Every structure is written in structure tokens, then in C-alpha cells.
Amino acid sequence: MLKIDRQTAIERELTKNGSVLIPNLSKQLQCSEETIRRDLKELESIGKLTRTHGGAYLMDKYDKSYPTKLRKVYYPDLKSRLARQALRYVRENDVIMLDSSTTCLTLAELLLSKKLNITIITNSLLVCDLCNDQISNINLICLGGSFRSRTSSFVGYHTTDTLSGYYADRSFISCPKVTLEQGMSDNHFDESKVRANMLVHSQQKILLLDHTKFDASANLLFGNLKSVDVIITDEYLPNQWTEFCRENQIHLDYALDTGAEVPV
């Protein structure tokens, strides 16, 4: 296939789906992954797409969030470690809230496998589909609202109004970025409001973050870190984070390969 035909096919897939994965394109167009990477680089140079780890996507004018299709393939091992650590906080008959992050989706998969009698409140269509596809003991509450296809989630006033009628034992959320100075931040206003409300309407507030999300800020600030009870991450944090967590009674929990944990 000629390069121009290959790149036209890539643009067609992007227009159709909003994002593409390198392995899928390689198989579909019958060429090497390295060839696809070169094509994506050229297309990015003329403003046709935005490259990211493992693929590319069309940038929304007002939304810097990665599409869920791409986020699902990022750091699957890290997400599994974070989810396994988070599972330790869930008890039989708990009512928990899960946001639309792919880390929480991984946690939902684990919860289903454990056959726990729990209630899950979520704005994630993927979590709802997961619970619908399997026989489980989970009582599922889907918040509904305006559907956001980029993240397969429900957002907006209907979502937050419905959420305000519940109070969970625990909420598990992730977010694009976090800093000590600015707290938690997001790339989408409505998504940030759902996460903020989940924290307010839960007794124990648990933040799941891999090491790539620390010490940088997204554009929409939605929560002070002092409101969080537990931070679960996969790598040791700098001393200033340890001190901050100690001073604010935040339990810093490490999901390491060895399962080790640093006391605070």
C-alpha cells in the first residue's frame, strides 16, 4: 500500500472512531508498527492528529482528555497493582463510588471476581456494562446523565443531582494530575464536578494515582488534597509528599511489586 493511501486510511479511522491504536492499524493495513508510527508522526506534523503512547487521537477543541480506548491500554500492570491494593479497603455490604477512570474499571473487574455483596454507584458506562455482562452479587446504581462518549461516562447536572442523594462508605477516584499546591485537577469541567461530589458524599475518600500523575496540573482544579483520606500509588513519593500526608493525616499506601508499604 502506498504511503498516501495508508495515511488516508488512518485519517478515515480517526474520523470514524476518534482514536486509533498502532497494533490495530498495523494489522488492518498489513504493515509494520514502525511504519504506522512514522505515518502518525507525519500526520501530527501537519496537524491531523495528536500522538500518544500506543496510538493517536483527534484533539477536542475544549477537552484535553485522552479517549477511553487509549487510556485502557496505558500501564495495565500499574492499574492492576493499584486496584489490588484498593481492594483491601472494600468490605462486605459496603456502598462504594467509582468514577469513570480506567483504574476504577480495573477495580470493578476485581470486585466482580471476588463475589462480594456490595453496592457500586458509578457514572461509568464501562463499569455498568461490566456488571451487566456477569452474574454477580453487586447492587449497581448507574447515575445517568448526559453521555460523554470520549470517556464512556455520564456527566452533568442530572448526574451530580442524583449523586447528592447518596452517601457511600468509600469513594475511589482517579484524576489526570495532582500537585501539593493546587490539589486535584481534571481536563473536563463536568467530569471534575462528578469526582468532587463523590468525595463530598463518601465517608472514606481514596485517591488512586500512578506515578505519572504527580507534580503536574491539568486545567480544572476540583479538590484540595487535605480532603482525601488515602492515596494509593505505585512508586515512592518525594519527601515533601510524605511530610504533607503525615501532617494532614492522609494514609500513603504503596502498591509496589513486592507488596511493601511505607509507614507514615
Side-chain angles (χ1 to χ4, degrees):
M1 182 181 287
L2 295 175
K3 180 170 73 172
I4 188 170
D5 294 329
R6 202 170 54 241
Q7 293 187 357
T8 298
I10 291 172
E11 289 188 65
R12 189 164 55 244
E13 284 298 305
L14 274 168
T15 301
K16 179 181 177 182
N17 300 310
S19 63
V20 291
L21 294 171
I22 290 172
N24 294 353
L25 287 175
S26 174
K27 183 177 180 180
Q28 179 182 335
L29 302 179
Q30 298 182 331
C31 61
S32 69
E33 292 190 6
E34 187 56 40
T35 297
I36 297 297
R37 288 190 183 92
R38 286 197 298 269
D39 286 338
L40 295 181
K41 186 175 182 180
E42 287 186 22
L43 289 169
E44 184 180 49
S45 70
I46 56 175
K48 296 290 187 178
L49 53 81
T50 300
R51 286 187 301 153
T52 186
H53 177 77
Y57 64 100
L58 294 176
M59 176 71 80
D60 187 284
K61 289 182 180 179
Y62 308 109
D63 188 351
K64 296 180 181 179
S65 304
Y66 290 165
T68 296
K69 287 182 181 179
L70 293 178
R71 289 189 293 120
K72 285 174 70 176
V73 303
Y74 294 163
Y75 308 112
D77 293 340
L78 297 188
K79 291 173 184 175
S80 293
R81 279 160 48 191
L82 294 176
R84 287 195 300 270
Q85 199 75 4
L87 186 64
R88 300 180 182 185
Y89 293 85
V90 182
R91 303 289 180 265
E92 188 80 1
N93 298 317
D94 267 359
V95 175
I96 68 170
M97 292 179 178
L98 301 180
D99 72 3
S100 61
S101 65
T102 50
T103 304
C104 281
L105 177 62
T106 306
L107 174 57
E109 292 170 350
L110 273 179
L111 290 167
L112 279 166
S113 71
K114 296 298 181 181
K115 305 295 184 183
L116 292 172
N117 294 293
I118 60 171
T119 295
I120 291 179
I121 301 170
T122 186
N123 70 320
S124 168
L125 178 62
L126 296 180
V127 172
C128 293
D129 284 343
L130 184 69
C131 294
N132 183 56
D133 288 342
Q134 299 185 34
I135 297 174
S136 72
N137 300 327
I138 288 175
N139 176 37
L140 177 68
I141 297 173
C142 180
L143 292 171
S146 299
F147 183 64
R148 184 172 173 235
S149 60
R150 195 174 186 85
T151 51
S152 296
S153 61
F154 297 98
V155 297
Y157 289 111
H158 177 89
T159 312
T160 53
D161 285 350
T162 304
L163 184 57
S164 67
Y166 295 97
Y167 191 75
D169 297 295
R170 270 160 275 286
S171 61
F172 296 90
I173 74 161
S174 188
C175 61
K177 298 294 179 183
V178 63
T179 68
L180 289 177
E181 296 77 20
Q182 297 176 311
M184 296 167 279
S185 58
D186 211 321
N187 290 309
H188 191 269
F189 178 80
D190 288 338
E191 203 78 63
S192 72
K193 290 299 180 185
V194 173
R195 291 187 166 113
N197 273 269
M198 284 184 171
L199 292 174
V200 170
H201 291 276
S202 58
Q203 182 174 349
Q204 187 179 39
K205 311 162 202 319
I206 302 173
L207 193 58
L208 307 176
L209 296 173
D210 68 65
H211 66 277
T212 66
K213 297 183 176 181
F214 286 87
D215 294 324
S217 180
N219 296 113
L220 294 161
L221 307 178
F222 71 87
N224 190 314
L225 276 173
K226 293 180 180 180
S227 67
V228 172
D229 298 304
V230 181
I231 296 175
I232 301 176
T233 189
D234 61 290
E235 289 188 3
Y236 292 133
L237 296 178
N239 289 337
Q240 60 265 34
W241 278 90
T242 303
E243 289 301 317
F244 176 88
C245 290
R246 181 183 292 116
E247 290 171 2
N248 292 282
Q249 290 79 53
I250 300 170
H251 179 53
L252 191 53
D253 198 352
Y254 288 105
L256 304 174
D257 281 328
T258 60
E261 180 182 329
V262 174
V264 297

